[in-house]
């Protein structure tokens, strides 16, 4: 029996064949993680990046249009995701530094800080149970999405959706409190 060509494998993945997808995943996952690690310098983040990339490919498989080799496509995708991650972290760090400067210029009375904490706690308590649990694990226990997904036995995508949902609800609930 002959090995299927790359275009046949791509076509099978596009058609939703989990075995073809698994074959590519198994063949490339470890080397992609090593490659991602050389860019982001964090083993967990490297794995999260590769898993996220494979998840996106599976979710958008019907639109999959790979002209070069599958391996080249995957390495380019991981590179792009790593660059996005680094850029995102840079923006977050700049924002954090900017907020630190702004906050140090304005000293809020302790009463206001306590009141704000209470409002935030109340808003979090009003979240739907699963949404609240996931949000607390993510933000207060500082668990990675992959760790939460493993602990709760649900997909990373569900975790992302629930955190986004929680943040939207909290923004809406606290819009009059936080200026």
């Amino acid at each position: 029996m002959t090995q299927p060509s790359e275009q046949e494998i791509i076509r099978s993945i596009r058609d939703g064949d989990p075995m073809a997808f698994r074959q590519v995943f198994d063949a490339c996952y470890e080397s992609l993680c090593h490659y991602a690690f050389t860019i982001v310098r964090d083993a967990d983040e490297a794995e999260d990046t590769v898993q996220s990339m494979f998840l996106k490919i599976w979710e958008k498989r019907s639109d999959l249009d790979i002209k070069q080799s599958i391996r080249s496509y995957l390495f380019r995708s991981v590179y792009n995701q790593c660059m996005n991650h680094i850029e995102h972290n840079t923006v977050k760090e700049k924002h954090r530094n900017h907020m630190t400067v702004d906050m140090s210029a304005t000293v809020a009375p302790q009463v206001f800080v306590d009141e704000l904490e209470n409002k935030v706690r109340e808003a979090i308590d009003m979240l739907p149970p699963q949404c609240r649990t996931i949000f607390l694990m993510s933000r207060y226990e500082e668990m990675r999405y992959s760790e939460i997904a493993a602990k709760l036995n649900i997909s990373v995508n569900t975790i992302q959706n629930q955190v986004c949902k929680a943040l939207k609800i909290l923004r809406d609930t606290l819009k009059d409190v936080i200026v």
Side-chain angles (χ1 to χ4, degrees):
M1 185 169 179
T2 62
Q3 289 284 71
S5 71
E6 285 205 352
Q7 288 306 314
E8 291 171 331
I9 292 171
I10 293 167
R11 197 171 313 108
S12 294
I13 292 171
R14 195 179 311 123
D15 293 340
D17 180 356
M19 296 303 289
F21 181 79
R22 184 65 190 205
Q23 179 184 357
V24 171
F25 180 89
D26 289 343
C28 299
Y29 180 78
E30 193 172 322
S31 56
L32 289 169
C33 286
H34 289 300
Y35 177 63
F37 177 78
T38 65
I39 299 169
V40 296
R41 295 289 182 208
D42 179 311
D44 289 335
E45 194 57 49
E47 279 192 56
D48 286 351
T49 299
V50 173
Q51 290 171 3
S52 175
M53 183 268 310
F54 272 113
L55 179 64
K56 283 181 185 175
I57 287 175
W58 183 251
E59 287 174 343
K60 298 178 186 284
R61 64 187 172 273
S62 61
D63 300 327
L64 197 60
D65 186 29
I66 301 174
K67 300 291 186 220
Q68 70 272 33
S69 76
I70 294 172
R71 199 165 171 79
S72 297
Y73 178 85
L74 295 175
F75 274 88
R76 173 55 61 183
S77 296
V78 166
Y79 174 82
N80 290 335
Q81 289 228 186
C82 287
M83 291 297 110
N84 289 343
H85 169 75
I86 290 169
E87 184 178 327
H88 177 72
N89 281 348
T90 303
V91 169
K92 275 184 5 184
E93 188 61 33
K94 283 181 182 176
H95 179 70
R96 188 176 303 126
N97 290 341
H98 179 72
M99 292 304 291
T100 303
V101 169
D102 284 354
M103 293 301 276
S104 64
T106 309
V107 179
Q110 187 60 38
V111 175
F112 177 73
V113 173
D114 292 342
E115 183 181 331
L116 181 60
E117 279 184 22
N118 288 336
K119 295 277 189 198
V120 170
R121 257 190 238 110
E122 288 172 10
I124 291 172
D125 289 343
M126 291 179 4
L127 292 172
Q130 182 182 28
C131 187
R132 179 177 55 244
T133 301
I134 291 170
F135 180 78
L136 291 172
M137 292 170 87
S138 169
R139 293 307 194 266
Y140 287 86
E141 296 177 32
E142 298 179 356
M143 293 175 68
R144 294 183 174 281
Y145 288 178
S146 59
E147 294 171 327
I148 299 168
K151 188 170 185 175
L152 299 178
N153 198 25
I154 54 181
S155 73
V156 172
N157 199 31
T158 300
I159 302 300
Q160 291 171 331
N161 290 337
Q162 290 295 309
V163 170
C164 286
K165 178 181 177 180
L167 290 172
K168 182 183 183 320
I169 292 170
L170 292 174
R171 264 188 234 107
D172 290 345
T173 305
L174 299 170
K175 69 179 174 243
D176 297 330
V177 177
I178 301 173
V179 191

